[in-house]
């Protein structure tokens, strides 16, 4: 079982990463949208790259959290892409899965 403090710390780390990266992504998105017609859409590439970098940062953070604590507890946190329930848009969510338990006392 995960202590509430550990869970809160993990979620706070993910939120801090997002808090650091999202304002920059939004600024680039606004600039990209304003210049989109002049650049034939090329002005949106920085936004795509920044979003990819943010996603990788979150994945690395979750991997670190898994190795530090959650794998020892039989859990695995991962970033997953899924369709929104209310629209056709896609969103990223954090899934917490149970790792299968291996019978260590069963003979080979």
């Amino acid at each position: 079982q995960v202590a509430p403090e550990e869970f809160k710390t993990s979620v706070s780390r993910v939120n801090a990463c997002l808090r650091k990266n999202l304002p920059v992504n939004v600024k680039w998105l606004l600039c990209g949208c304003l210049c989109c017609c002049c650049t034939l859409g090329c002005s949106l590439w920085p936004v795509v790259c920044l979003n990819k970098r943010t996603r990788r940062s979150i994945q690395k953070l979750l991997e670190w959290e898994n190795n530090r604590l959650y794998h020892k507890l039989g859990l695995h946190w991962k970033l997953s892409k899924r369709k929104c329930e209310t629209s056709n848009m896609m969103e990223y969510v954090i899934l917490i899965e149970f790792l299968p338990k291996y019978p260590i006392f069963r003979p080979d």
Side-chain angles (χ1 to χ4, degrees):
Q1 187 171 356
V2 180
E5 301 84 25
E6 288 290 347
F7 182 80
K8 184 178 179 181
T9 302
S10 298
V11 172
S12 295
R13 285 188 180 116
V14 171
N15 286 338
C17 182
L18 290 172
R19 205 174 296 117
K20 182 180 100 178
N21 291 318
L22 285 183
V24 176
N25 294 12
V26 170
K27 288 176 188 173
W28 276 102
L29 178 62
L30 291 174
C31 291
C33 288
L34 291 174
C35 302
C36 189
C37 294
C38 301
T39 62
L40 301 174
C42 292
S43 59
L44 293 174
W45 273 108
V47 177
V48 172
C49 294
L50 285 171
N51 285 342
K52 196 175 205 178
R53 188 177 79 181
T54 301
R55 197 168 54 245
R56 282 192 189 137
S57 297
I58 298 290
Q59 287 170 338
K60 284 183 181 180
L61 176 63
L62 293 177
E63 184 179 315
W64 181 78
E65 288 286 345
N66 281 329
N67 290 331
R68 181 184 73 86
L69 174 68
Y70 294 104
H71 282 175
K72 295 172 191 166
L73 299 173
L75 298 171
H76 179 77
W77 287 36
K78 73 175 186 176
L79 197 61
S80 179
K81 191 178 192 181
R82 73 175 192 185
K83 195 174 183 178
C84 291
E85 294 176 6
T86 57
S87 68
N88 284 335
M89 296 181 70
M90 299 298 283
E91 67 181 351
Y92 283 93
V93 296
I94 294 178
L95 291 180
I96 303 174
E97 301 174 327
F98 290 101
L99 293 175
K101 293 185 179 180
Y102 297 105
I104 58 173
F105 297 112
R106 186 191 298 170
D108 293 336

